[in-house]
Amino acid sequence: MPTPMLRDESLDVKNIGVQVNCCMENGLDGILIGGNSGEFPSMSLEERKLLFKTAVDAADGRCKIVGCCGGEGFMGVGAAVAPALCRKLYDY
């Protein structure tokens, strides 16, 4: 699922849920977020956490959410962040 962004390049939090619901209404039972459209290198760790939490909350257990937890090169942070990001997604 492409990450919805506003003109100022911040997350469009409202439309994350809209997109998740649209995916499920069209028969998807799993959604990859935060990585399939190449947006993750420009997102901060906090933005990625917000994206994950918002998508998981919108799905409300109705489908699987898979989050891209790669860390190499995004916002100047190396791969050391990836395990923490994966644990955070698991917590949701």
Side-chain angles (χ1 to χ4, degrees):
M1 178 184 96
T3 302
M5 306 294 273
L6 298 171
R7 289 189 185 270
D8 67 0
E9 299 182 3
S10 63
L11 282 175
D12 185 350
V13 176
K14 175 185 168 191
N15 278 310
I16 295 168
V18 170
Q19 285 191 357
V20 167
N21 285 316
C22 182
C23 288
M24 289 186 302
E25 289 167 5
N26 285 284
L28 295 180
D29 59 3
I31 303 169
L32 173 64
I33 59 168
N36 58 321
S37 299
E39 65 273 24
F40 77 92
S42 64
M43 296 172 64
S44 71
L45 180 60
E46 292 308 312
E47 286 175 316
R48 292 175 76 188
K49 288 178 183 177
L50 178 59
L51 171 63
F52 292 176
K53 180 166 182 13
T54 305
V56 169
D57 288 350
D60 194 29
R62 297 174 293 158
C63 78
K64 293 179 175 85
I65 299 292
V66 177
C68 177
C69 295
E72 195 60 44
F74 77 94
M75 297 297 284
V77 179
V81 172
L85 192 56
C86 289
R87 281 190 296 277
K88 194 65 177 171
L89 180 59
Y90 183 77
D91 289 343
Y92 297 142

